[in-house]
């Protein structure tokens, strides 16, 4: 194989791994920096988000006042209007807990708006409304691709699991940003270790 062929093969492989936008229209890539939030024993280590079984009792740190286990990235992609897409892949590498948030779209004016959680049976669900987003897809060792599209102008929110739209809901007005990682919901428990990769943002 010639050098040129190797380069073509490499770039094709890289492209196949990178997150891509879903949905119609033209998407422009956006770069967003983030802060890591670790609460009550949660640990962020690069792309790995780890929660122990139960909180350590500490409520100090950014986003830790409710004492919940948290190991999350708070992306600084804040917006109040426009159409915004999040994309990324997660893989749970171990889990003994239940009802753990993996991805949030936070409304800075109003608290959490959309929270996608995982149950111990691998179901992805809408923590706020309770509806199932995808049954049994998020089992230990399986890579799952998530895209969300938030049309803040028309107050619509869609969730795509492995490239298929499986959930839609309405959105309030407000100032939004995305989070991913692991965070125990009100009725949730640790432990979990989850890896997020290829987290990307686009707008149109
Ligand atoms: C609890 O865990 C957090 C990190 O998630 C850490 O900052 C804090 O020091 C720990 N507190 C105790 C009492 O171990």
């Amino acid at each position: 194989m010639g050098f040129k062929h190797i380069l073509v093969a490499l770039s094709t492989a890289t492209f196949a791994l990178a997150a891509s936008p879903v949905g119609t229209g033209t998407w422009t890539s956006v770069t967003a920096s983030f802060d890591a939030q670790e609460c009550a024993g949660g640990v962020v280590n690069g792309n790995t988000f780890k929660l122990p079984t139960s909180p350590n009792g500490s409520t100090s740190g950014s986003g830790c006042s409710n004492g919940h286990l948290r190991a999350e990235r708070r992306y600084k992609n804040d917006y109040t209007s426009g159409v915004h897409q999040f994309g990324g892949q997660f893989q749970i590498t171990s889990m003994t807990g239940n009802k753990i948030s993996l991805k949030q779209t936070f409304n800075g004016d109003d608290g959490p708006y959309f929270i996608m959680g995982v149950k111990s049976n691998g179901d992805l669900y809408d923590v706020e409304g309770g509806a199932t987003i995808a049954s049994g897809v998020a089992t230990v060792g399986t890579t799952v691709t998530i895209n969300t599209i938030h049309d803040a102008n028309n107050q619509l929110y869609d969730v795509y699991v492995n490239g298929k739209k499986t959930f839609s809901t309405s959105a309030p007005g407000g100032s939004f940003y995305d989070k991913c990682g692991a965070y125990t919901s009100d009725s949730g428990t640790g432990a979990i270790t989850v890896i997020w990769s290829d987290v990307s943002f686009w707008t149109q």
Side-chain angles (χ1 to χ4, degrees), residues 118-141:
V118 63
K119 294 183 181 172
S120 53
N121 64 1
D123 284 1
L124 296 177
Y125 74 110
D126 170 21
V127 171
E128 299 289 301
T132 299
I133 294 170
S135 293
V137 294
T139 50
V140 171

Side-chain angles (χ1 to χ4, degrees), residues 10 13 49-50 69 79 88 99 114 126 151 175 191 198 202 204:
L10 274 178
F49 304 85
K50 189 169 185 176
L69 288 164
Y79 57 88
K99 297 189 173 175
F114 172 76
D126 170 21
D151 180 345
S175 175
D198 283 333
W202 301 269
Q204 60 174 221

Side-chain angles (χ1 to χ4, degrees), residues 14 24 27 39 52 58 117 127 159 168 192:
T14 307
T24 55
W27 294 95
C39 304
S58 166
V127 171
V159 181
S168 296
I192 190 171

Side-chain angles (χ1 to χ4, degrees), residues 17-19 47-49 71 73 75 86-95 100-104 114-125 133-148 159-163 166 179-182 192-200:
L17 286 172
N47 286 340
T48 303
F49 304 85
R73 282 183 190 164
Y75 279 96
F86 164 99
Q89 297 185 316
F90 72 82
Q91 185 187 63
I92 296 170
T93 57
S94 70
M95 177 161 162
I100 298 169
S101 164
L102 300 175
K103 198 261 166 181
Q104 305 193 48
F114 172 76
I115 304 178
M116 184 188 75
V118 63
K119 294 183 181 172
S120 53
N121 64 1
D123 284 1
L124 296 177
Y125 74 110
I133 294 170
S135 293
V137 294
T139 50
V140 171
T142 306
T143 299
V144 181
T145 302
I146 298 296
N147 294 77
T148 61
V159 181
Y160 290 72
V161 179
N162 295 329
T166 62
K179 304 184 79 171
C180 68
I192 190 171
T193 302
V194 59
I195 298 166
W196 271 98
S197 52
D198 283 333
V199 174
S200 309

Side-chain angles (χ1 to χ4, degrees), residues 8-28:
V8 168
L10 274 178
S11 61
T12 307
T14 307
F15 183 76
L17 286 172
S20 0
V22 298
T24 55
T26 305
W27 294 95
T28 304

Side-chain angles (χ1 to χ4, degrees), residues 37-44 50-52 55-61 64 68-71:
Q37 295 181 329
E38 299 178 323
C39 304
V43 175
V44 179
K50 189 169 185 176
L51 303 180
N56 68 10
S58 166
T59 56
S60 68
C64 300
H68 286 211
L69 288 164
R70 186 190 303 278

